[in-house]
Amino acid sequence: MKLLNKLSDFLGKYFIVLVLLMVVAAMALPQIFITLGRTRVFGQSLVTVGLGSIMFVMGLTLNEKDFKVIVTRPKDVFIGCLAQFTVMPFMAYFLAKTLRLPPELAVGLVLLGTCPGGTASNVMTYLAKGDVALSIGMTTVSTLAAPLLTPALTYFLAGQWVEINMYAMLLDIVKVVIVPIFLGMAVHKAFGEKVHKVSKVLVIIPIVCILMIMGLCVAPNKMNLINSGAVLIMAVCLHNWFGFILGYAIGMFAKMDDSKKKALSIEVGLQNSGLAVGLAAQFANPLCALPAAVATVVHQVSGSLLANVFSGNLSFNFFRRRVKSAANISMMNK
């Protein structure tokens, strides 16, 4: 168990580095990942299995306290979820049109925007010294609402670019999100104390799954990523950053306190990019999964940076001191 705890600490500490290394590995050795991508487990792709595993672990971590905030603070949760399913989908549509993205990438960006908040937002909110209970409440509600809202919004905003089967998307979300979450909650209910004892080790599962999904998505899109990389990365970054800014602004408008504004900012800005990758498979064109694959990296980097800024570990004074120090060293060398 000590070894697994150390592995969990290592993966958590160097997660961003591992994501970047996985991208490099998938670009350098794409055939290995493409071959892996053809593997089926009980008839399901590894991406689907990985997503289901992530959602199952999410269910394992949920308990009655996580749902209490929904009942005790419905206004805050409603504002957060409303922002989630309005700001991000329409911002994705606006950026796709403004940057004139190819139809496949436009669909992928909109799909990313219509997905619920990811579990990473809860961790980032904790690091940012934000309202973790509110973050978990918003993630839970937006995830449970996703089977209806994600297909409907994707159909409404991206239907002009590609044919969208709302029913198939709804079934996919139920299969890889809702069922695993409720299974995880049932296991937590039955073995609560035992689950709590291994909670730290459980973190290994979603991290490994995200890294696997990352490699499986990047490898078949190697050339597309090289050719469309600049504009795509710009689109994903702007989508993410505008989400942070507008989420915080909505919190200010709603007169929330500082911890709530941090939670709202992070929750709105960070999507469940893994889910978007899995849902993109129904479009048959691998390019549709590319925005979500890029977002898996961008969200982790920008989310970590924002959390550090919110917590006070990074500030403009921090950078100013670094610049001043570098200038002093330069003057001394002269």
Side-chain angles (χ1 to χ4, degrees), residues 6 43 53 70 74-75 81 119 132 134 139 145 166 201-202 211-212 216 221 226 230 241 251 254 274:
K6 287 182 179 179
S53 301
I70 301 171
K75 180 182 175 182
C81 291
T119 53
V132 179
L134 177 59
T139 299
M166 290 178 60
V201 175
L202 288 174
L211 292 173
M212 176 188 70
L216 294 175
N221 288 297
I226 292 172
W241 299 339

Side-chain angles (χ1 to χ4, degrees), residues 9-328:
D9 290 337
F10 174 82
L11 292 175
K13 185 177 182 179
Y14 297 104
F15 180 60
I16 296 175
V17 176
L18 293 172
V19 167
L20 296 174
L21 288 175
M22 181 59 75
V23 172
V24 173
M27 296 282 280
L29 303 166
Q31 197 54 49
I32 294 175
F33 292 91
I34 291 171
T35 303
L36 262 179
R38 300 192 187 105
T39 304
R40 292 292 181 271
V41 179
F42 299 113
Q44 303 298 318
S45 69
L46 288 179
V47 171
T48 299
V49 173
L51 284 170
S53 301
I54 293 169
M55 293 299 110
F56 177 73
V57 173
M58 178 183 173
L60 282 175
T61 63
L62 292 175
N63 54 45
E64 291 83 358
K65 291 180 181 179
D66 298 321
F67 290 93
K68 185 179 179 182
V69 67
I70 301 171
V71 178
T72 57
R73 294 155 60 187
K75 180 182 175 182
D76 292 340
V77 175
F78 175 76
I79 291 172
C81 291
L82 182 63
Q84 178 84 57
F85 285 114
T86 52
V87 169
M88 299 312 281
F90 287 95
M91 181 56 65
Y93 178 80
F94 171 77
L95 289 171
K97 283 286 192 179
T98 303
L99 298 175
R100 298 180 180 179
L101 295 181
E104 297 82 3
L105 295 181
V107 170
L109 188 65
V110 169
L111 178 60
L112 174 65
T114 62
C115 281
T119 53
S121 61
N122 308 146
V123 178
M124 300 302 179
T125 300
Y126 171 76
L127 296 175
K129 299 178 181 178
D131 191 329
V132 179
L134 177 59
S135 176
I136 294 173
M138 286 190 288
T139 299
T140 303
V141 171
S142 66
T143 299
L144 295 178
L148 293 176
L149 293 181
T150 296
L153 286 167
T154 304
Y155 178 83
F156 176 69
L157 294 171
Q160 62 180 290
W161 290 303
V162 67
E163 184 178 349
I164 294 169
N165 188 330
M166 290 178 60
Y167 181 68
M169 190 177 291
L170 186 152
L171 288 181
D172 280 346
I173 296 174
V174 169
K175 179 174 68 176
V176 302
V177 177
I178 304 301
V179 172
I181 283 178
F182 278 100
L183 282 175
M185 290 173 65
V187 172
H188 185 276
K189 186 73 175 177
F191 307 99
E193 192 60 36
K194 293 180 180 179
V195 170
H196 181 70
K197 287 180 179 178
V198 297
S199 59
K200 189 174 181 179
V201 175
L202 288 174
V203 175
I204 295 172
I205 297 173
I207 290 177
V208 170
C209 288
I210 290 173
L211 292 173
M212 176 188 70
I213 292 169
M214 194 71 225
L216 294 175
C217 292
V218 169
N221 288 297
K222 176 181 176 180
M223 294 312 300
N224 294 322
L225 188 56
I226 292 172
N227 295 332
S228 306
V231 67
L232 178 59
I233 291 172
M234 181 191 300
V236 172
C237 286
L238 289 174
H239 184 244
N240 177 217
W241 299 339
F242 276 123
F244 287 148
I245 294 168
L246 293 176
Y248 194 87
I250 289 169
M252 291 179 64
F253 182 77
K255 297 180 179 179
M256 293 182 173
D257 63 33
D258 198 45
S259 65
K260 291 180 183 179
K261 285 184 285 190
K262 291 176 183 178
L264 196 63
S265 173
I266 293 172
E267 190 68 29
V268 172
L270 298 181
Q271 316 304 116
N272 191 333
S273 54
L275 176 59
V277 168
L279 295 177
Q282 71 167 265
F283 299 127
N285 190 325
L287 270 177
C288 294
L290 206 51
V294 172
T296 304
V297 181
V298 171
H299 286 188
Q300 296 299 328
V301 175
S302 61
S304 298
L305 286 173
L306 182 63
N308 276 280
V309 170
F310 276 155
S311 67
N313 292 332
L314 284 179
S315 65
F316 290 112
N317 288 332
F318 172 89
F319 292 109
R320 189 159 55 230
R321 286 196 301 269
R322 291 297 180 273
V323 171
K324 187 176 180 180
S325 176
N328 289 337

